[in-house]
PDB file of all heavy atoms in Angstrom:
ATOM      1  N   ILE A 100     -79.822 -32.683  58.894  1.00 93.00           N
ATOM      2  CA  ILE A 100     -78.757 -32.239  57.981  1.00 93.00           C
ATOM      3  C   ILE A 100     -79.256 -32.113  56.537  1.00 93.00           C
ATOM      4  O   ILE A 100     -78.905 -31.127  55.863  1.00 93.00           O
ATOM      5  CB  ILE A 100     -77.505 -33.152  58.087  1.00 93.00           C
ATOM      6  CG1 ILE A 100     -76.778 -32.883  59.409  1.00 93.00           C
ATOM      7  CG2 ILE A 100     -76.548 -32.902  56.898  1.00 93.00           C
ATOM      8  CD1 ILE A 100     -75.562 -33.726  59.627  1.00 93.00           C
ATOM      9  N   PRO A 101     -80.047 -33.062  56.002  1.00 94.00           N
ATOM     10  CA  PRO A 101     -80.564 -32.880  54.640  1.00 94.00           C
ATOM     11  C   PRO A 101     -81.430 -31.623  54.494  1.00 94.00           C
ATOM     12  O   PRO A 101     -81.535 -31.074  53.382  1.00 94.00           O
ATOM     13  CB  PRO A 101     -81.411 -34.123  54.411  1.00 94.00           C
ATOM     14  CG  PRO A 101     -80.756 -35.165  55.272  1.00 94.00           C
ATOM     15  CD  PRO A 101     -80.320 -34.421  56.490  1.00 94.00           C
ATOM     16  N   MET A 102     -82.001 -31.135  55.587  1.00 94.00           N
ATOM     17  CA  MET A 102     -82.758 -29.871  55.549  1.00 94.00           C
ATOM     18  C   MET A 102     -81.791 -28.668  55.574  1.00 94.00           C
ATOM     19  O   MET A 102     -82.003 -27.671  54.878  1.00 94.00           O
ATOM     20  CB  MET A 102     -83.704 -29.771  56.739  1.00 94.00           C
ATOM     21  CG  MET A 102     -84.418 -28.445  56.851  1.00 94.00           C
ATOM     22  SD  MET A 102     -85.022 -28.037  58.521  1.00 94.00           S
ATOM     23  CE  MET A 102     -83.492 -27.759  59.407  1.00 94.00           C
ATOM     24  N   LEU A 103     -80.708 -28.803  56.344  1.00 92.00           N
ATOM     25  CA  LEU A 103     -79.774 -27.681  56.526  1.00 92.00           C
ATOM     26  C   LEU A 103     -78.932 -27.415  55.304  1.00 92.00           C
ATOM     27  O   LEU A 103     -78.606 -26.247  55.026  1.00 92.00           O
ATOM     28  CB  LEU A 103     -78.881 -27.940  57.744  1.00 92.00           C
ATOM     29  CG  LEU A 103     -79.521 -27.955  59.122  1.00 92.00           C
ATOM     30  CD1 LEU A 103     -78.484 -28.283  60.184  1.00 92.00           C
ATOM     31  CD2 LEU A 103     -80.162 -26.607  59.425  1.00 92.00           C
ATOM     32  N   ASN A 104     -78.555 -28.472  54.574  1.00 91.00           N
ATOM     33  CA  ASN A 104     -77.642 -28.282  53.440  1.00 91.00           C
ATOM     34  C   ASN A 104     -78.090 -27.237  52.418  1.00 91.00           C
ATOM     35  O   ASN A 104     -77.316 -26.354  52.042  1.00 91.00           O
ATOM     36  CB  ASN A 104     -77.325 -29.617  52.769  1.00 91.00           C
ATOM     37  CG  ASN A 104     -76.284 -30.400  53.540  1.00 91.00           C
ATOM     38  OD1 ASN A 104     -75.560 -29.866  54.396  1.00 91.00           O
ATOM     39  ND2 ASN A 104     -76.190 -31.698  53.257  1.00 91.00           N
ATOM     40  N   PRO A 105     -79.335 -27.312  51.892  1.00 90.00           N
ATOM     41  CA  PRO A 105     -79.770 -26.281  50.943  1.00 90.00           C
ATOM     42  C   PRO A 105     -79.789 -24.871  51.557  1.00 90.00           C
ATOM     43  O   PRO A 105     -79.525 -23.897  50.843  1.00 90.00           O
ATOM     44  CB  PRO A 105     -81.165 -26.733  50.505  1.00 90.00           C
ATOM     45  CG  PRO A 105     -81.611 -27.704  51.519  1.00 90.00           C
ATOM     46  CD  PRO A 105     -80.379 -28.355  52.033  1.00 90.00           C
ATOM     47  N   MET A 106     -80.079 -24.766  52.851  1.00 89.00           N
ATOM     48  CA  MET A 106     -80.043 -23.466  53.519  1.00 89.00           C
ATOM     49  C   MET A 106     -78.634 -22.939  53.592  1.00 89.00           C
ATOM     50  O   MET A 106     -78.374 -21.751  53.340  1.00 89.00           O
ATOM     51  CB  MET A 106     -80.630 -23.578  54.931  1.00 89.00           C
ATOM     52  CG  MET A 106     -82.120 -23.914  54.967  1.00 89.00           C
ATOM     53  SD  MET A 106     -82.723 -23.926  56.679  1.00 89.00           S
ATOM     54  CE  MET A 106     -84.444 -24.352  56.404  1.00 89.00           C
ATOM     55  N   ILE A 107     -77.700 -23.810  53.958  1.00 88.00           N
ATOM     56  CA  ILE A 107     -76.292 -23.415  54.042  1.00 88.00           C
ATOM     57  C   ILE A 107     -75.776 -22.893  52.697  1.00 88.00           C
ATOM     58  O   ILE A 107     -75.118 -21.849  52.609  1.00 88.00           O
ATOM     59  CB  ILE A 107     -75.410 -24.595  54.521  1.00 88.00           C
ATOM     60  CG1 ILE A 107     -75.736 -24.945  55.988  1.00 88.00           C
ATOM     61  CG2 ILE A 107     -73.925 -24.287  54.376  1.00 88.00           C
ATOM     62  CD1 ILE A 107     -75.171 -26.271  56.428  1.00 88.00           C
ATOM     63  N   TYR A 108     -76.100 -23.639  51.639  1.00 85.00           N
ATOM     64  CA  TYR A 108     -75.580 -23.268  50.314  1.00 85.00           C
ATOM     65  C   TYR A 108     -76.303 -22.090  49.706  1.00 85.00           C
ATOM     66  O   TYR A 108     -75.790 -21.447  48.803  1.00 85.00           O
ATOM     67  CB  TYR A 108     -75.668 -24.465  49.366  1.00 85.00           C
ATOM     68  CG  TYR A 108     -74.525 -25.443  49.567  1.00 85.00           C
ATOM     69  CD1 TYR A 108     -74.682 -26.596  50.331  1.00 85.00           C
ATOM     70  CD2 TYR A 108     -73.279 -25.206  48.991  1.00 85.00           C
ATOM     71  CE1 TYR A 108     -73.632 -27.483  50.519  1.00 85.00           C
ATOM     72  CE2 TYR A 108     -72.225 -26.081  49.191  1.00 85.00           C
ATOM     73  CZ  TYR A 108     -72.404 -27.215  49.948  1.00 85.00           C
ATOM     74  OH  TYR A 108     -71.373 -28.091  50.141  1.00 85.00           O
ATOM     75  N   SER A 109     -77.519 -21.788  50.158  1.00 80.00           N
ATOM     76  CA  SER A 109     -78.242 -20.630  49.614  1.00 80.00           C
ATOM     77  C   SER A 109     -77.982 -19.365  50.418  1.00 80.00           C
ATOM     78  O   SER A 109     -77.729 -18.292  49.834  1.00 80.00           O
ATOM     79  CB  SER A 109     -79.754 -20.899  49.555  1.00 80.00           C
ATOM     80  OG  SER A 109     -80.234 -21.236  50.855  1.00 80.00           O
ATOM     81  N   LEU A 110     -77.971 -19.469  51.738  1.00 71.00           N
ATOM     82  CA  LEU A 110     -77.789 -18.272  52.570  1.00 71.00           C
ATOM     83  C   LEU A 110     -76.369 -17.727  52.476  1.00 71.00           C
ATOM     84  O   LEU A 110     -76.158 -16.528  52.655  1.00 71.00           O
ATOM     85  CB  LEU A 110     -78.137 -18.590  54.029  1.00 71.00           C
ATOM     86  CG  LEU A 110     -79.605 -18.939  54.320  1.00 71.00           C
ATOM     87  CD1 LEU A 110     -79.775 -19.337  55.778  1.00 71.00           C
ATOM     88  CD2 LEU A 110     -80.502 -17.751  53.986  1.00 71.00           C
ATOM     89  N   ARG A 111     -75.420 -18.588  52.224  1.00 69.00           N
ATOM     90  CA  ARG A 111     -73.993 -18.164  52.192  1.00 69.00           C
ATOM     91  C   ARG A 111     -73.467 -18.007  50.757  1.00 69.00           C
ATOM     92  O   ARG A 111     -72.277 -17.810  50.575  1.00 69.00           O
ATOM     93  CB  ARG A 111     -73.119 -19.161  52.961  1.00 69.00           C
ATOM     94  CG  ARG A 111     -73.483 -19.324  54.414  1.00 69.00           C
ATOM     95  CD  ARG A 111     -72.549 -20.295  55.085  1.00 69.00           C
ATOM     96  NE  ARG A 111     -71.180 -19.779  55.114  1.00 69.00           N
ATOM     97  CZ  ARG A 111     -70.667 -19.098  56.139  1.00 69.00           C
ATOM     98  NH1 ARG A 111     -71.394 -18.837  57.191  1.00 69.00           N
ATOM     99  NH2 ARG A 111     -69.428 -18.666  56.092  1.00 69.00           N
ATOM    100  N   ASN A 112     -74.356 -18.069  49.797  1.00 75.00           N
ATOM    101  CA  ASN A 112     -73.904 -18.061  48.410  1.00 75.00           C
ATOM    102  C   ASN A 112     -74.651 -17.007  47.624  1.00 75.00           C
ATOM    103  O   ASN A 112     -75.859 -17.120  47.384  1.00 75.00           O
ATOM    104  CB  ASN A 112     -74.138 -19.455  47.788  1.00 75.00           C
ATOM    105  CG  ASN A 112     -73.480 -19.611  46.445  1.00 75.00           C
ATOM    106  OD1 ASN A 112     -73.644 -18.783  45.552  1.00 75.00           O
ATOM    107  ND2 ASN A 112     -72.679 -20.661  46.296  1.00 75.00           N
ATOM    108  N   GLN A 113     -73.923 -15.967  47.179  1.00 75.00           N
ATOM    109  CA  GLN A 113     -74.564 -14.861  46.468  1.00 75.00           C
ATOM    110  C   GLN A 113     -75.121 -15.276  45.112  1.00 75.00           C
ATOM    111  O   GLN A 113     -76.179 -14.753  44.693  1.00 75.00           O
ATOM    112  CB  GLN A 113     -73.561 -13.705  46.291  1.00 75.00           C
ATOM    113  CG  GLN A 113     -74.187 -12.396  45.868  1.00 75.00           C
ATOM    114  CD  GLN A 113     -75.209 -11.877  46.849  1.00 75.00           C
ATOM    115  OE1 GLN A 113     -74.982 -11.875  48.050  1.00 75.00           O
ATOM    116  NE2 GLN A 113     -76.357 -11.434  46.347  1.00 75.00           N
ATOM    117  N   GLU A 114     -74.424 -16.178  44.423  1.00 78.00           N
ATOM    118  CA  GLU A 114     -74.928 -16.629  43.119  1.00 78.00           C
ATOM    119  C   GLU A 114     -76.251 -17.354  43.228  1.00 78.00           C
ATOM    120  O   GLU A 114     -77.146 -17.154  42.402  1.00 78.00           O
ATOM    121  CB  GLU A 114     -73.877 -17.555  42.475  1.00 78.00           C
ATOM    122  CG  GLU A 114     -72.624 -16.854  41.999  1.00 78.00           C
ATOM    123  CD  GLU A 114     -71.636 -17.830  41.402  1.00 78.00           C
ATOM    124  OE1 GLU A 114     -71.520 -18.972  41.911  1.00 78.00           O
ATOM    125  OE2 GLU A 114     -70.960 -17.459  40.436  1.00 78.00           O
ATOM    126  N   VAL A 115     -76.393 -18.183  44.250  1.00 80.00           N
ATOM    127  CA  VAL A 115     -77.662 -18.899  44.479  1.00 80.00           C
ATOM    128  C   VAL A 115     -78.767 -17.900  44.842  1.00 80.00           C
ATOM    129  O   VAL A 115     -79.904 -17.999  44.354  1.00 80.00           O
ATOM    130  CB  VAL A 115     -77.516 -19.960  45.562  1.00 80.00           C
ATOM    131  CG1 VAL A 115     -78.868 -20.579  45.917  1.00 80.00           C
ATOM    132  CG2 VAL A 115     -76.564 -21.068  45.104  1.00 80.00           C
ATOM    133  N   LYS A 116     -78.438 -16.919  45.701  1.00 77.00           N
ATOM    134  CA  LYS A 116     -79.431 -15.908  46.085  1.00 77.00           C
ATOM    135  C   LYS A 116     -79.877 -15.066  44.883  1.00 77.00           C
ATOM    136  O   LYS A 116     -81.054 -14.762  44.742  1.00 77.00           O
ATOM    137  CB  LYS A 116     -78.871 -15.010  47.193  1.00 77.00           C
ATOM    138  CG  LYS A 116     -78.792 -15.697  48.549  1.00 77.00           C
ATOM    139  CD  LYS A 116     -78.506 -14.730  49.674  1.00 77.00           C
ATOM    140  CE  LYS A 116     -77.042 -14.375  49.737  1.00 77.00           C
ATOM    141  NZ  LYS A 116     -76.722 -13.592  50.959  1.00 77.00           N
ATOM    142  N   ASN A 117     -78.925 -14.738  44.010  1.00 78.00           N
ATOM    143  CA  ASN A 117     -79.275 -13.980  42.795  1.00 78.00           C
ATOM    144  C   ASN A 117     -80.170 -14.802  41.866  1.00 78.00           C
ATOM    145  O   ASN A 117     -81.139 -14.295  41.281  1.00 78.00           O
ATOM    146  CB  ASN A 117     -78.021 -13.547  42.060  1.00 78.00           C
ATOM    147  CG  ASN A 117     -77.224 -12.492  42.825  1.00 78.00           C
ATOM    148  OD1 ASN A 117     -77.776 -11.784  43.668  1.00 78.00           O
ATOM    149  ND2 ASN A 117     -75.958 -12.363  42.504  1.00 78.00           N
ATOM    150  N   ALA A 118     -79.847 -16.087  41.724  1.00 77.00           N
ATOM    151  CA  ALA A 118     -80.645 -16.972  40.886  1.00 77.00           C
ATOM    152  C   ALA A 118     -82.058 -17.155  41.448  1.00 77.00           C
ATOM    153  O   ALA A 118     -83.035 -17.160  40.697  1.00 77.00           O
ATOM    154  CB  ALA A 118     -79.979 -18.328  40.747  1.00 77.00           C
ATOM    155  N   LEU A 119     -82.142 -17.246  42.775  1.00 75.00           N
ATOM    156  CA  LEU A 119     -83.445 -17.381  43.442  1.00 75.00           C
ATOM    157  C   LEU A 119     -84.256 -16.099  43.250  1.00 75.00           C
ATOM    158  O   LEU A 119     -85.479 -16.178  42.952  1.00 75.00           O
ATOM    159  CB  LEU A 119     -83.247 -17.658  44.933  1.00 75.00           C
ATOM    160  CG  LEU A 119     -84.505 -17.834  45.765  1.00 75.00           C
ATOM    161  CD1 LEU A 119     -85.334 -19.010  45.236  1.00 75.00           C
ATOM    162  CD2 LEU A 119     -84.153 -18.064  47.229  1.00 75.00           C
ATOM    163  N   ARG A 120     -83.640 -14.944  43.393  1.00 78.00           N
ATOM    164  CA  ARG A 120     -84.326 -13.656  43.188  1.00 78.00           C
ATOM    165  C   ARG A 120     -84.837 -13.550  41.746  1.00 78.00           C
ATOM    166  O   ARG A 120     -85.987 -13.124  41.511  1.00 78.00           O
ATOM    167  CB  ARG A 120     -83.358 -12.516  43.495  1.00 78.00           C
ATOM    168  CG  ARG A 120     -84.051 -11.164  43.666  1.00 78.00           C
ATOM    169  CD  ARG A 120     -83.046 -10.063  44.016  1.00 78.00           C
ATOM    170  NE  ARG A 120     -82.395 -10.358  45.301  1.00 78.00           N
ATOM    171  CZ  ARG A 120     -81.106 -10.609  45.437  1.00 78.00           C
ATOM    172  NH1 ARG A 120     -80.314 -10.668  44.367  1.00 78.00           N
ATOM    173  NH2 ARG A 120     -80.587 -10.851  46.610  1.00 78.00           N
ATOM    174  N   LYS A 121     -84.016 -13.964  40.797  1.00 79.00           N
ATOM    175  CA  LYS A 121     -84.429 -13.924  39.396  1.00 79.00           C
ATOM    176  C   LYS A 121     -85.605 -14.867  39.113  1.00 79.00           C
ATOM    177  O   LYS A 121     -86.539 -14.509  38.399  1.00 79.00           O
ATOM    178  CB  LYS A 121     -83.223 -14.306  38.509  1.00 79.00           C
ATOM    179  CG  LYS A 121     -83.489 -14.216  37.027  1.00 79.00           C
ATOM    180  CD  LYS A 121     -82.242 -14.617  36.243  1.00 79.00           C
ATOM    181  CE  LYS A 121     -82.542 -14.646  34.738  1.00 79.00           C
ATOM    182  NZ  LYS A 121     -81.352 -15.108  33.963  1.00 79.00           N
ATOM    183  N   ALA A 122     -85.553 -16.056  39.737  1.00 74.00           N
ATOM    184  CA  ALA A 122     -86.636 -17.031  39.546  1.00 74.00           C
ATOM    185  C   ALA A 122     -87.942 -16.516  40.144  1.00 74.00           C
ATOM    186  O   ALA A 122     -89.016 -16.683  39.538  1.00 74.00           O
ATOM    187  CB  ALA A 122     -86.252 -18.359  40.188  1.00 74.00           C
ATOM    188  N   ILE A 123     -87.858 -15.863  41.311  1.00 74.00           N
ATOM    189  CA  ILE A 123     -89.048 -15.304  41.946  1.00 74.00           C
ATOM    190  C   ILE A 123     -89.649 -14.183  41.091  1.00 74.00           C
ATOM    191  O   ILE A 123     -90.881 -14.081  40.912  1.00 74.00           O
ATOM    192  CB  ILE A 123     -88.738 -14.775  43.361  1.00 74.00           C
ATOM    193  CG1 ILE A 123     -88.405 -15.964  44.274  1.00 74.00           C
ATOM    194  CG2 ILE A 123     -89.896 -13.976  43.948  1.00 74.00           C
ATOM    195  CD1 ILE A 123     -87.871 -15.577  45.642  1.00 74.00           C
ATOM    196  N   GLU A 124     -88.780 -13.368  40.525  1.00 71.00           N
ATOM    197  CA  GLU A 124     -89.253 -12.277  39.655  1.00 71.00           C
ATOM    198  C   GLU A 124     -89.982 -12.831  38.431  1.00 71.00           C
ATOM    199  O   GLU A 124     -91.010 -12.331  37.983  1.00 71.00           O
ATOM    200  CB  GLU A 124     -88.083 -11.404  39.223  1.00 71.00           C
ATOM    201  CG  GLU A 124     -87.526 -10.490  40.314  1.00 71.00           C
ATOM    202  CD  GLU A 124     -86.316  -9.738  39.899  1.00 71.00           C
ATOM    203  OE1 GLU A 124     -85.863  -9.914  38.721  1.00 71.00           O
ATOM    204  OE2 GLU A 124     -85.826  -8.924  40.698  1.00 71.00           O
ATOM    205  N   LYS A 125     -89.419 -13.901  37.862  1.00 72.00           N
ATOM    206  CA  LYS A 125     -90.048 -14.514  36.690  1.00 72.00           C
ATOM    207  C   LYS A 125     -91.399 -15.093  37.013  1.00 72.00           C
ATOM    208  O   LYS A 125     -92.357 -15.020  36.227  1.00 72.00           O
ATOM    209  CB  LYS A 125     -89.133 -15.619  36.114  1.00 72.00           C
ATOM    210  CG  LYS A 125     -87.995 -15.117  35.254  1.00 72.00           C
ATOM    211  CD  LYS A 125     -87.259 -16.296  34.631  1.00 72.00           C
ATOM    212  CE  LYS A 125     -86.148 -15.831  33.696  1.00 72.00           C
ATOM    213  NZ  LYS A 125     -85.427 -16.962  33.097  1.00 72.00           N
ATOM    214  N   CYS A 126     -91.508 -15.715  38.190  1.00 70.00           N
ATOM    215  CA  CYS A 126     -92.713 -16.405  38.577  1.00 70.00           C
ATOM    216  C   CYS A 126     -93.839 -15.472  39.028  1.00 70.00           C
ATOM    217  O   CYS A 126     -95.020 -15.726  38.776  1.00 70.00           O
ATOM    218  CB  CYS A 126     -92.439 -17.402  39.682  1.00 70.00           C
ATOM    219  SG  CYS A 126     -91.450 -18.810  39.157  1.00 70.00           S
TER     220      CYS A 126
END
């Protein structure tokens, strides 16, 4: 479950996905 929680909140959350995309672009 501690592994699944960040996946659940990232895969089902557009704001998190957008933030992740922005972070990848910066890096």
